[in-house]
């Protein structure tokens, strides 16, 4: 079975990015897995601290492992935005493939010190685990925001990226390149799109020389995604768009069947609603002509 490191290298060579989708229940997990399976592309499932607290750290790990083993399929598990070493160690011990160790809100020297410490401690638990560090400001909350926040002062520079990767030993870097967590209402309605600083991504890639993750991908312009992947993005995170599809799917399903109480009759159309979004993003990230070679 391929490791996540292998999959990232192959994505880089193919000019593709691996889709990363957050889950907080079995409906989201099934939708993401089925979308990836149908397209035959590798996929990463992510769970933030809140999502892990809801599902259970070891329980999520067991579910993803069972899919990987039963279907011999490259589905990987990431501990998204982890803000303490204790929580990161808990995920490493449960068998997560990767951890986003996020102290980007701290002054950069402190972020470097804590991230470096975490890399050493987590690799002692699992030498093959991949650690992602984060610098710059990409906002918080994969939900619908009322107003756009000005993150222009928190954009990552190529020099900061190079120094951070060298000083910490992280395997993957999450930079701030115009991306932002969550979506505005206008984006949910499809009237506005996020745009990325492609030149900055290319400069960071040349300086940092590690796989790059784009957080806050929901609502981003399709062409910006293609250009960002060409410039060196290897993982793209989508969460809010899936959550919107989950809610819309559930509202639709309940409205259609006002007297239905059987969960396994209510949820299949919710899975379809989420799967539609995950599949469309996976097709884009993997490039239409490359799908068949991926898995
Ligand atoms: Zn994120």
């Amino acid at each position: 079975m391929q490791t996540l490191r292998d999959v990232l290298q192959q994505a880089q060579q193919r000019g593709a990015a691996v889709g990363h989708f957050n889950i907080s229940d079995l409906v989201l997990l099934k939708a993401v897995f089925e979308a990836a399976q149908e397209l035959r592309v590798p996929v990463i499932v992510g769970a933030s601290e809140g999502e892990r607290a809801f599902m259970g750290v070891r329980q999520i790990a067991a579910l993803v492992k069972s899919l990987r083993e039963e279907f011999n399929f490259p589905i990987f598990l990431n501990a998204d935005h982890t803000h303490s070493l204790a929580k990161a160690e808990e995920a490493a011990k449960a068998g997560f493939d990767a951890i986003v160790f996020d102290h980007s809100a701290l002054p950069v020297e402190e972020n470097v010190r804590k991230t470096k410490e975490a890399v050493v401690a987590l690799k002692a638990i699992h030498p093959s685990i991949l650690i992602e560090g984060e610098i710059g400001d990409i906002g918080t909350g994969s939900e619908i925001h009322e107003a756009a926040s000005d993150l222009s002062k928190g954009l990552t520079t190529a020099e900061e990226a190079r120094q951070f990767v060298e000083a910490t030993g992280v395997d993957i870097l999450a930079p701030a390149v115009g991306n932002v967590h969550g979506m505005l209402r206008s984006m949910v309605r499809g009237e506005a799109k996020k745009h990325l600083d492609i030149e900055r991504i290319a400069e960071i890639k040349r300086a940092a020389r590690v796989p790059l993750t784009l957080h806050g991908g929901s609502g981003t312009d399709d062409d910006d995604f293609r250009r960002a992947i060409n410039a060196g993005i290897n993982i793209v995170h989508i969460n809010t768009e899936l959550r919107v599809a989950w809610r819309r799917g559930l509202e639709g399903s309940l409205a259609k069947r006002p007297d239905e109480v059987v969960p396994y009759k209510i949820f299949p159309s919710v899975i379809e609603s989420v799967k539609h979004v995950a599949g469309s993003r996976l097709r884009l990230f993997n490039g239409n002509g490359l799908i068949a070679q991926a898995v």
Side-chain angles (χ1 to χ4, degrees), residues 148 180 182-195 218-220 241:
V180 54
M183 293 171 85
L184 298 173
R185 285 192 194 288
S186 55
M187 292 171 180
V188 175
R189 289 193 298 265
E191 296 161 8
K193 294 283 180 191
K194 294 179 195 170
H195 290 281
S218 292
T220 302
E241 278 184 54

Side-chain angles (χ1 to χ4, degrees), residues 31 39 66 68 76 82 84 93 96-97 114-115 119-120 139 143 176-177 183 202 210 213 220 231 236 275 278:
L39 293 167
S66 72
R68 187 181 344 193
F76 301 95
T82 303
S84 72
K93 285 176 189 160
F96 281 55
D97 301 286
K114 289 192 178 227
T115 304
V119 169
V120 173
E143 50 206 6
V177 290
M183 293 171 85
V210 289
T213 298
T220 302
V236 181
K275 194 171 147 184

Side-chain angles (χ1 to χ4, degrees), residues 20 22 80-81 100 102 132 134 138-139 142 181 214-216 237:
H20 172 293
N22 288 67
D80 207 8
H81 296 289
V100 176
D102 178 6
E132 177 175 321
E134 186 172 322
I138 48 183
S142 294
H181 286 117
L214 186 79
H215 283 254
H237 281 223

Side-chain angles (χ1 to χ4, degrees), residues 112-113 115-117 119 161-170:
V112 166
R113 187 173 57 75
T115 304
K116 187 177 175 180
E117 241 174 57
V119 169
R162 187 188 63 76
Q163 286 177 6
F164 183 83
V165 169
E166 275 178 14
T168 58
V170 292

Side-chain angles (χ1 to χ4, degrees), residues 15-256:
V18 183
H20 172 293
F21 303 94
N22 288 67
I23 63 156
S24 45
D25 71 0
L26 193 58
V27 168
L28 288 154
L29 175 60
K30 281 173 83 91
V32 169
F33 179 64
E34 286 176 17
Q37 207 183 18
E38 282 176 18
L39 293 167
R40 301 171 60 217
V41 293
V43 72
I44 305 170
V45 164
S48 65
E49 287 185 357
E51 289 159 340
R52 303 200 299 270
F54 181 69
M55 283 189 81
V57 175
R58 291 175 60 187
Q59 286 68 36
I60 301 179
L63 283 169
V64 173
K65 183 167 182 257
S66 72
L67 290 170
R68 187 181 344 193
E69 290 177 355
E70 180 176 348
F71 297 93
N72 189 30
F73 194 86
I75 178 169
F76 301 95
L77 182 57
N78 175 47
D80 207 8
H81 296 289
T82 303
H83 302 291
S84 72
L85 184 54
K87 288 250 179 356
E89 285 177 336
E90 189 186 19
K93 285 176 189 160
F96 281 55
D97 301 286
I99 294 180
V100 176
F101 194 72
D102 178 6
H103 276 303
S104 59
L106 294 177
V108 73
E109 308 76 46
E110 245 180 293
N111 183 6
V112 166
R113 187 173 57 75
K114 289 192 178 227
T115 304
K116 187 177 175 180
E117 241 174 57
V119 169
V120 173
L122 297 168
K123 299 234 180 216
I125 296 171
H126 274 305
S128 62
I129 199 164
L130 300 184
I131 311 303
E132 177 175 321
E134 186 172 322
I135 43 171
D137 187 3
I138 48 183
T140 55
S142 294
E143 50 206 6
I144 298 166
H145 299 302
E146 290 303 328
S149 38
D150 178 16
L151 303 176
S152 57
K153 289 193 182 69
L155 293 175
T156 307
T157 68
E159 185 53 22
E160 281 166 358
R162 187 188 63 76
Q163 286 177 6
F164 183 83
V165 169
E166 275 178 14
T168 58
V170 292
D171 304 286
I172 304 169
L173 180 69
V177 290
N179 49 327
V180 54
H181 286 117
M183 293 171 85
L184 298 173
R185 285 192 194 288
S186 55
M187 292 171 180
V188 175
R189 289 193 298 265
E191 296 161 8
K193 294 283 180 191
K194 294 179 195 170
H195 290 281
L196 304 169
D197 188 338
I198 307 298
E199 189 48 44
R200 189 179 291 271
I201 294 170
E203 283 169 11
I204 290 171
K205 186 70 171 192
R206 282 195 292 272
R209 302 173 149 276
V210 289
L212 299 180
T213 298
L214 186 79
H215 283 254
S218 292
T220 302
D221 179 71
D222 279 4
D223 202 47
D224 279 36
F225 268 140
R226 289 189 197 97
R227 291 162 59 218
I229 293 165
N230 279 335
I233 292 292
N234 306 103
I235 300 172
V236 181
H237 281 223
I238 301 285
N239 190 355
T240 315
E241 278 184 54
L242 253 52
R243 289 175 168 182
V244 169
W246 180 93
R247 183 174 174 124
R248 296 270 158 81
L250 183 57
E251 284 169 348
S253 187
L254 293 174
K256 241 187 265 168

